[in-house]
Short mmCIF file of all heavy atoms in Angstrom, two decimals:
data_model
loop_
_atom_site.label_atom_id
_atom_site.label_comp_id
_atom_site.label_asym_id
_atom_site.label_seq_id
_atom_site.Cartn_x
_atom_site.Cartn_y
_atom_site.Cartn_z
N ALA J 155 19.75 17.18 -2.40
CA ALA J 155 19.73 18.24 -3.40
C ALA J 155 18.55 18.11 -4.35
O ALA J 155 18.24 19.03 -5.10
CB ALA J 155 21.04 18.20 -4.20
N GLY J 156 17.89 16.99 -4.32
CA GLY J 156 16.74 16.70 -5.16
C GLY J 156 16.41 15.24 -5.01
O GLY J 156 17.21 14.46 -4.46
N ALA J 157 15.23 14.83 -5.47
CA ALA J 157 14.84 13.43 -5.30
C ALA J 157 13.89 12.99 -6.40
O ALA J 157 13.13 13.79 -6.96
CB ALA J 157 14.19 13.20 -3.94
N VAL J 158 13.94 11.69 -6.67
CA VAL J 158 13.03 11.03 -7.59
C VAL J 158 12.41 9.85 -6.84
O VAL J 158 13.13 9.01 -6.30
CB VAL J 158 13.76 10.53 -8.85
CG1 VAL J 158 12.78 9.80 -9.77
CG2 VAL J 158 14.43 11.69 -9.58
N ALA J 159 11.08 9.82 -6.80
CA ALA J 159 10.36 8.74 -6.12
C ALA J 159 9.59 7.96 -7.18
O ALA J 159 8.64 8.48 -7.77
CB ALA J 159 9.42 9.29 -5.06
N VAL J 160 10.01 6.72 -7.43
CA VAL J 160 9.42 5.88 -8.47
C VAL J 160 8.40 4.94 -7.84
O VAL J 160 8.75 4.15 -6.95
CB VAL J 160 10.51 5.07 -9.21
CG1 VAL J 160 9.87 4.21 -10.29
CG2 VAL J 160 11.57 6.00 -9.80
N ALA J 161 7.15 5.04 -8.28
CA ALA J 161 6.08 4.21 -7.73
C ALA J 161 6.14 4.18 -6.21
O ALA J 161 6.16 3.11 -5.61
CB ALA J 161 6.16 2.79 -8.30
N PRO J 162 6.17 5.37 -5.57
CA PRO J 162 6.35 5.40 -4.11
C PRO J 162 5.10 4.98 -3.35
O PRO J 162 3.97 5.30 -3.74
CB PRO J 162 6.66 6.88 -3.85
CG PRO J 162 5.93 7.61 -4.93
CD PRO J 162 6.04 6.72 -6.14
N VAL J 163 5.30 4.27 -2.27
CA VAL J 163 4.21 3.88 -1.39
C VAL J 163 3.53 5.15 -0.85
O VAL J 163 4.21 6.13 -0.53
CB VAL J 163 4.75 3.02 -0.23
CG1 VAL J 163 3.70 2.81 0.84
CG2 VAL J 163 5.25 1.69 -0.77
N GLN J 164 2.21 5.13 -0.75
CA GLN J 164 1.51 6.31 -0.29
C GLN J 164 1.77 6.59 1.18
O GLN J 164 2.01 5.68 1.98
CB GLN J 164 0.00 6.20 -0.54
CG GLN J 164 -0.70 5.01 0.11
CD GLN J 164 -0.94 3.91 -0.89
OE1 GLN J 164 0.00 3.36 -1.45
NE2 GLN J 164 -2.20 3.55 -1.09
N PHE J 165 1.70 7.87 1.53
CA PHE J 165 1.90 8.31 2.92
C PHE J 165 0.57 8.75 3.52
O PHE J 165 -0.45 8.83 2.82
CB PHE J 165 2.93 9.45 2.96
CG PHE J 165 2.73 10.53 1.95
CD1 PHE J 165 1.81 11.57 2.17
CD2 PHE J 165 3.45 10.53 0.76
CE1 PHE J 165 1.62 12.57 1.24
CE2 PHE J 165 3.26 11.54 -0.19
CZ PHE J 165 2.34 12.57 0.05
N ARG J 166 0.57 9.01 4.81
CA ARG J 166 -0.64 9.43 5.51
C ARG J 166 -1.25 10.66 4.81
O ARG J 166 -0.55 11.63 4.50
CB ARG J 166 -0.32 9.75 6.96
CG ARG J 166 -1.53 10.25 7.77
CD ARG J 166 -1.16 10.48 9.23
NE ARG J 166 -2.23 11.16 9.95
CZ ARG J 166 -3.31 10.55 10.46
NH1 ARG J 166 -3.44 9.25 10.32
NH2 ARG J 166 -4.23 11.25 11.11
N GLY J 167 -2.53 10.60 4.57
CA GLY J 167 -3.21 11.70 3.88
C GLY J 167 -3.58 11.35 2.46
O GLY J 167 -4.46 11.98 1.87
N VAL J 168 -2.91 10.36 1.88
CA VAL J 168 -3.28 9.85 0.56
C VAL J 168 -4.28 8.73 0.79
O VAL J 168 -3.93 7.65 1.29
CB VAL J 168 -2.05 9.34 -0.22
CG1 VAL J 168 -2.48 8.77 -1.57
CG2 VAL J 168 -1.04 10.47 -0.41
N LEU J 169 -5.52 8.98 0.45
CA LEU J 169 -6.60 8.06 0.83
C LEU J 169 -6.90 7.01 -0.24
O LEU J 169 -7.60 6.04 0.04
CB LEU J 169 -7.87 8.86 1.12
CG LEU J 169 -7.75 9.91 2.23
CD1 LEU J 169 -9.07 10.65 2.40
CD2 LEU J 169 -7.30 9.29 3.54
N ARG J 170 -6.40 7.19 -1.40
CA ARG J 170 -6.73 6.27 -2.49
C ARG J 170 -6.11 4.90 -2.25
O ARG J 170 -4.91 4.78 -2.00
CB ARG J 170 -6.27 6.83 -3.83
CG ARG J 170 -6.72 6.01 -5.01
CD ARG J 170 -6.58 6.76 -6.31
NE ARG J 170 -7.06 5.97 -7.44
CZ ARG J 170 -8.33 5.79 -7.76
NH1 ARG J 170 -9.26 6.38 -7.05
NH2 ARG J 170 -8.68 5.05 -8.79
N LEU J 171 -6.93 3.84 -2.33
CA LEU J 171 -6.47 2.47 -2.19
C LEU J 171 -7.24 1.61 -3.19
O LEU J 171 -8.27 1.03 -2.86
CB LEU J 171 -6.69 1.96 -0.76
CG LEU J 171 -6.20 0.54 -0.46
CD1 LEU J 171 -4.69 0.43 -0.63
CD2 LEU J 171 -6.62 0.11 0.94
N PRO J 172 -6.77 1.52 -4.43
CA PRO J 172 -7.48 0.75 -5.46
C PRO J 172 -7.57 -0.73 -5.08
O PRO J 172 -6.69 -1.26 -4.39
CB PRO J 172 -6.60 0.94 -6.70
CG PRO J 172 -5.81 2.18 -6.43
CD PRO J 172 -5.58 2.18 -4.95
N PRO J 173 -8.63 -1.41 -5.50
CA PRO J 173 -8.78 -2.84 -5.18
C PRO J 173 -7.59 -3.67 -5.61
O PRO J 173 -7.20 -4.61 -4.90
CB PRO J 173 -10.05 -3.23 -5.95
CG PRO J 173 -10.83 -1.96 -6.05
CD PRO J 173 -9.81 -0.88 -6.20
N VAL J 174 -6.96 -3.36 -6.75
CA VAL J 174 -5.84 -4.16 -7.22
C VAL J 174 -4.64 -4.01 -6.27
O VAL J 174 -3.89 -4.97 -6.05
CB VAL J 174 -5.44 -3.76 -8.66
CG1 VAL J 174 -4.85 -2.34 -8.71
CG2 VAL J 174 -4.47 -4.76 -9.25
N GLN J 175 -4.49 -2.84 -5.67
CA GLN J 175 -3.40 -2.66 -4.70
C GLN J 175 -3.70 -3.44 -3.42
O GLN J 175 -2.81 -4.10 -2.86
CB GLN J 175 -3.21 -1.18 -4.38
CG GLN J 175 -2.03 -0.92 -3.44
CD GLN J 175 -1.85 0.54 -3.11
OE1 GLN J 175 -2.81 1.31 -3.06
NE2 GLN J 175 -0.61 0.94 -2.86
N LEU J 176 -4.92 -3.36 -2.95
CA LEU J 176 -5.31 -4.11 -1.75
C LEU J 176 -5.09 -5.60 -1.95
O LEU J 176 -4.58 -6.30 -1.07
CB LEU J 176 -6.76 -3.81 -1.41
CG LEU J 176 -7.31 -4.49 -0.15
CD1 LEU J 176 -6.53 -4.06 1.08
CD2 LEU J 176 -8.80 -4.16 0.02
N ALA J 177 -5.43 -6.10 -3.13
CA ALA J 177 -5.25 -7.52 -3.42
C ALA J 177 -3.78 -7.91 -3.38
O ALA J 177 -3.43 -9.02 -2.96
CB ALA J 177 -5.84 -7.86 -4.78
N SER J 178 -2.90 -7.01 -3.81
CA SER J 178 -1.47 -7.31 -3.79
C SER J 178 -0.91 -7.34 -2.37
O SER J 178 0.10 -8.00 -2.10
CB SER J 178 -0.70 -6.29 -4.64
OG SER J 178 -0.60 -5.04 -3.98
N LEU J 179 -1.57 -6.63 -1.44
CA LEU J 179 -1.09 -6.55 -0.06
C LEU J 179 -1.66 -7.66 0.83
O LEU J 179 -1.02 -8.04 1.82
CB LEU J 179 -1.47 -5.20 0.55
CG LEU J 179 -0.89 -3.95 -0.10
CD1 LEU J 179 -1.50 -2.70 0.52
CD2 LEU J 179 0.63 -3.93 0.05
N LEU J 180 -2.83 -8.15 0.50
CA LEU J 180 -3.53 -9.08 1.40
C LEU J 180 -2.75 -10.34 1.76
O LEU J 180 -2.84 -10.80 2.90
CB LEU J 180 -4.89 -9.46 0.79
CG LEU J 180 -6.00 -8.42 0.99
CD1 LEU J 180 -7.29 -8.90 0.33
CD2 LEU J 180 -6.24 -8.15 2.48
N PRO J 181 -1.98 -10.93 0.83
CA PRO J 181 -1.24 -12.14 1.23
C PRO J 181 -0.32 -11.92 2.43
O PRO J 181 -0.05 -12.85 3.18
CB PRO J 181 -0.43 -12.48 -0.04
CG PRO J 181 -1.26 -11.94 -1.15
CD PRO J 181 -1.83 -10.67 -0.61
N VAL J 182 0.15 -10.70 2.62
CA VAL J 182 1.00 -10.39 3.77
C VAL J 182 0.15 -9.93 4.95
O VAL J 182 0.32 -10.40 6.07
CB VAL J 182 2.03 -9.29 3.42
CG1 VAL J 182 2.86 -8.92 4.65
CG2 VAL J 182 2.94 -9.77 2.30
N LEU J 183 -0.78 -9.04 4.71
CA LEU J 183 -1.53 -8.41 5.79
C LEU J 183 -2.50 -9.36 6.50
O LEU J 183 -2.84 -9.13 7.67
CB LEU J 183 -2.31 -7.21 5.26
CG LEU J 183 -1.48 -6.08 4.66
CD1 LEU J 183 -2.40 -4.96 4.15
CD2 LEU J 183 -0.49 -5.52 5.68
N ARG J 184 -2.95 -10.41 5.83
CA ARG J 184 -3.94 -11.27 6.46
C ARG J 184 -3.34 -12.16 7.56
O ARG J 184 -4.08 -12.80 8.31
CB ARG J 184 -4.63 -12.14 5.42
CG ARG J 184 -3.76 -13.14 4.71
CD ARG J 184 -4.51 -13.80 3.57
NE ARG J 184 -3.67 -14.68 2.79
CZ ARG J 184 -4.01 -15.16 1.59
NH1 ARG J 184 -5.19 -14.83 1.06
NH2 ARG J 184 -3.21 -15.96 0.92
N ASN J 185 -2.02 -12.18 7.66
CA ASN J 185 -1.36 -12.92 8.74
C ASN J 185 -0.67 -11.93 9.67
O ASN J 185 0.41 -11.42 9.35
CB ASN J 185 -0.34 -13.91 8.17
CG ASN J 185 0.29 -14.77 9.26
OD1 ASN J 185 0.09 -14.54 10.45
ND2 ASN J 185 1.07 -15.76 8.85
N PRO J 186 -1.25 -11.61 10.84
CA PRO J 186 -0.67 -10.61 11.74
C PRO J 186 0.75 -10.93 12.19
O PRO J 186 1.52 -10.02 12.54
CB PRO J 186 -1.63 -10.61 12.94
CG PRO J 186 -2.90 -11.16 12.41
CD PRO J 186 -2.50 -12.16 11.36
N ARG J 187 1.13 -12.20 12.16
CA ARG J 187 2.49 -12.56 12.59
C ARG J 187 3.55 -12.01 11.64
O ARG J 187 4.71 -11.88 12.02
CB ARG J 187 2.61 -14.08 12.70
CG ARG J 187 1.83 -14.68 13.87
CD ARG J 187 1.97 -16.18 13.91
NE ARG J 187 1.37 -16.81 12.72
CZ ARG J 187 1.36 -18.12 12.50
NH1 ARG J 187 1.91 -18.95 13.38
NH2 ARG J 187 0.78 -18.61 11.42
#
C-alpha cells in the first residue's frame, strides 16, 4: 500500500558510487570467496 526505503542500496541505473561507500564495501568485495 506504500513503502519507505531508508538509506536503500542503489539499484541498476544509479551510477553514483562515492569513494567513502566504496571503502566501506572493499573489505568484503576484495575476497571473492
Side-chain angles (χ1 to χ4, degrees):
V158 178
V160 181
V163 170
Q164 59 259 61
F165 46 82
R166 178 177 170 82
V168 178
L169 302 179
R170 187 165 182 78
L171 182 63
V174 68
Q175 183 180 31
L176 182 61
S178 74
L179 298 173
L180 280 179
V182 177
L183 299 179
R184 65 188 175 194
N185 184 352
R187 290 179 295 180

